[in-house]
Amino acid sequence: MTIAALIVAAGRGTRAGGDLPKQYARLDTQTVLGWVLAAFGELDEIAHIQVVIHPDDASVYDQAVPADALKLLPPVPGGATRQLSVLAGLEALASKAVTKVLIHDAARPFVNADTIRKVIAALDAHPGALAAVPLADTLKRAAAGELVAKTIPRTGLWRAQTPQGFRFDDILNAHRKAAVSGRDDFTDDAAIAEWAGLPVFLVEDSPTNFKITTPVDLRMAKKLILTSPAPALLPCAGTGFDVHRFCPGDHVMLGGVRIPHTHALEGHSDADVVLHALTDAVLGALGEGDIGQHFPPSDAKWKGAASHLFLEDAVARVMRRGGRIANADVTVLCEAPKIGPHRDAIRASVARIMGLDPGRVGVKATTTEGLGFTGRREGIAAMASVMLLLP
Ligand code: MG
């Protein structure tokens, strides 16, 4: 018997906030998707994990997936609807001699081993089985003016969650049949199974296996994750230093903030010394080289690049190692421009790029009393330190 997990991550939903779909949002030490992959990957019963992604998300997917994710097949691009995305994933698994498949939403990071095993076990007796929660709330049907028209008895009503498990050939055939019939309005796979005449068994699941859809869901998820047992983390400090010289121009970039000035800073990228020093501090704490190694100035790709890309890459490395960032601190050394008026903007910008609360970002500045190259107004230097917590 070969069991596969099919993770549907092709949605573009950004209602949970930010500009990334919620499955790529960060949840403590991992992305939402990273938690899902870990939950399935750790189970001996699961042989393969197939993720279906949006065709535009290949690079964000690569960043979101932990380097040590187990049993993971290369992702396949999804279709225009959830239903078509699932079909694409099933077709990709068709050559793997899979006997049972568990279809799961990438935005449900709290799926637990117990539920997964119960769904698998139920498939011995039934062609389909889904994780679901009996309704606890009383249901009202609304009429015009938001008046209650009717109270719906909740007896026998369940909320469908995922995973939804099926015998592989049955669900692949049902999906193919639905596609051929021009049906593309099924909102879950149990509904397709039902349409195809396959009996589907309800496996009682925990309400904590909720789908992250809104900013409130994401906040709830962040709270919940803090109560889950975490591996022991060790503090690892890193430092970074960077200098760029002035050249003709009318602004400098510091911490991702555009600051008007009598000169610009010369560099292959946008010459943001603050973000470069922070990138090196993060890479230093990881023991993973420096910015020049990962983004060589000899590579035309980084010409004029916005430096938040470098820092985001370093931060993604922390995540892939299962670590987190405790704080970041930076000192800017220059005679001008004055940093004070821009301090809060720089803090907010660095915090956003690093996924930190602004309270965990320090931004300080000093002149060098007219001494040295910064004193002679030849350029700007920045020093940074970060504290990481790594397993
Ligand atoms: Mg630099």
Side-chain angles (χ1 to χ4, degrees):
M1 185 170 65
T2 305
I3 304 174
L6 170 51
I7 312 300
V8 194
R12 302 299 283 157
T14 53
R15 267 186 292 160
D19 44 13
L20 283 179
K22 69 252 177 187
Q23 61 271 29
Y24 300 117
R26 195 177 321 166
L27 202 51
D28 198 46
T29 58
Q30 296 259 29
T31 54
V32 171
L33 176 62
W35 288 107
V36 169
L37 296 179
F40 285 92
E42 281 163 10
L43 292 189
D44 291 339
E45 292 89 334
I46 304 290
H48 304 294
I49 301 179
Q50 176 66 65
V51 184
V52 186
I53 63 172
H54 190 278
D56 294 345
D57 287 345
S59 70
V60 58
Y61 170 84
D62 286 343
Q63 297 263 307
V65 171
D68 56 356
L70 302 167
K71 306 165 188 172
L72 193 55
L73 299 168
V76 293
T81 61
R82 183 187 186 282
Q83 187 186 325
L84 291 174
S85 295
V86 171
L87 177 56
L90 291 171
E91 296 287 3
L93 285 168
S95 62
K96 301 272 183 233
V98 172
T99 48
K100 295 177 178 177
V101 62
L102 303 183
I103 302 169
H104 186 70
D105 297 327
R108 294 185 192 270
F110 297 110
V111 59
N112 65 46
D114 189 43
T115 295
I116 297 172
R117 290 199 170 109
K118 278 191 203 155
V119 171
I120 292 172
L123 295 179
D124 290 338
H126 310 276
L130 79 148
V133 181
L135 269 193
D137 299 322
T138 300
L139 291 181
K140 305 290 179 188
R141 184 176 306 283
E146 293 187 8
L147 290 170
V148 171
K150 200 172 185 269
T151 297
I152 317 273
R154 69 179 176 219
T155 324
L157 291 183
W158 295 63
R159 279 190 297 118
Q161 304 197 140
T162 68
Q164 302 193 348
F166 305 93
R167 295 177 189 160
F168 186 79
D169 293 342
D170 287 350
I171 195 67
L172 176 57
N173 288 334
H175 262 276
R176 283 176 175 167
K177 210 168 99 189
V180 169
S181 322
R183 288 292 305 266
D184 61 1
D185 51 342
F186 292 108
T187 51
D188 74 351
D189 302 286
I192 292 187
E194 190 189 325
W195 172 78
L198 300 170
V200 183
F201 181 75
L202 291 159
V203 171
E204 184 162 352
D205 190 14
S206 160
T208 55
N209 181 20
F210 62 92
K211 186 172 176 179
I212 297 176
T213 309
T214 64
V216 173
D217 297 334
L218 194 56
R219 279 202 297 278
M220 236 162 38
K222 285 179 177 169
K223 273 193 189 144
L224 199 55
I225 211 101
L226 291 177
T227 63
S228 319
L233 299 175
L234 275 181
C236 296
T239 67
F241 179 71
D242 194 40
V243 175
H244 282 265
R245 71 167 73 236
F246 283 127
C247 65
D250 62 2
H251 72 278
V252 296
M253 294 299 293
L254 292 176
V257 176
R258 183 189 165 105
I259 297 175
H261 189 49
T262 54
H263 291 79
L265 289 172
E266 189 177 286
H268 188 68
S269 65
D270 65 5
D272 190 322
V273 284
V274 168
L275 296 187
H276 293 183
L278 283 165
T279 303
D280 263 355
V282 174
L283 291 172
L286 287 168
E288 292 195 24
D290 63 23
I291 189 170
Q293 204 177 321
H294 296 287
F295 305 97
S298 54
D299 189 338
K301 192 157 104 187
W302 309 117
K303 177 116 186 73
S307 297
H308 66 84
L309 296 175
F310 308 149
L311 186 52
E312 278 160 4
D313 180 84
V315 169
R317 286 167 188 276
V318 177
M319 265 201 290
R320 290 202 292 271
R321 292 263 294 265
R324 62 179 83 158
I325 303 171
N327 80 310
D329 185 25
V330 63
T331 303
V332 183
L333 297 93
C334 62
E335 302 292 324
K338 286 218 174 310
I339 304 303
H342 306 285
R343 183 197 309 265
D344 288 344
I346 295 173
R347 273 181 98 189
S349 166
V350 168
R352 196 169 53 242
I353 296 166
M354 300 186 78
L356 289 174
D357 187 284
R360 294 188 181 250
V361 177
V363 172
K364 314 177 305 300
T366 181
T367 70
T368 50
E369 301 282 338
L371 299 171
F373 68 87
T374 51
R376 291 189 298 272
R377 299 171 184 256
E378 291 167 4
I380 299 184
M383 297 166 31
S385 69
V386 301
M387 180 64 74
L388 305 185
L389 300 171
L390 295 178

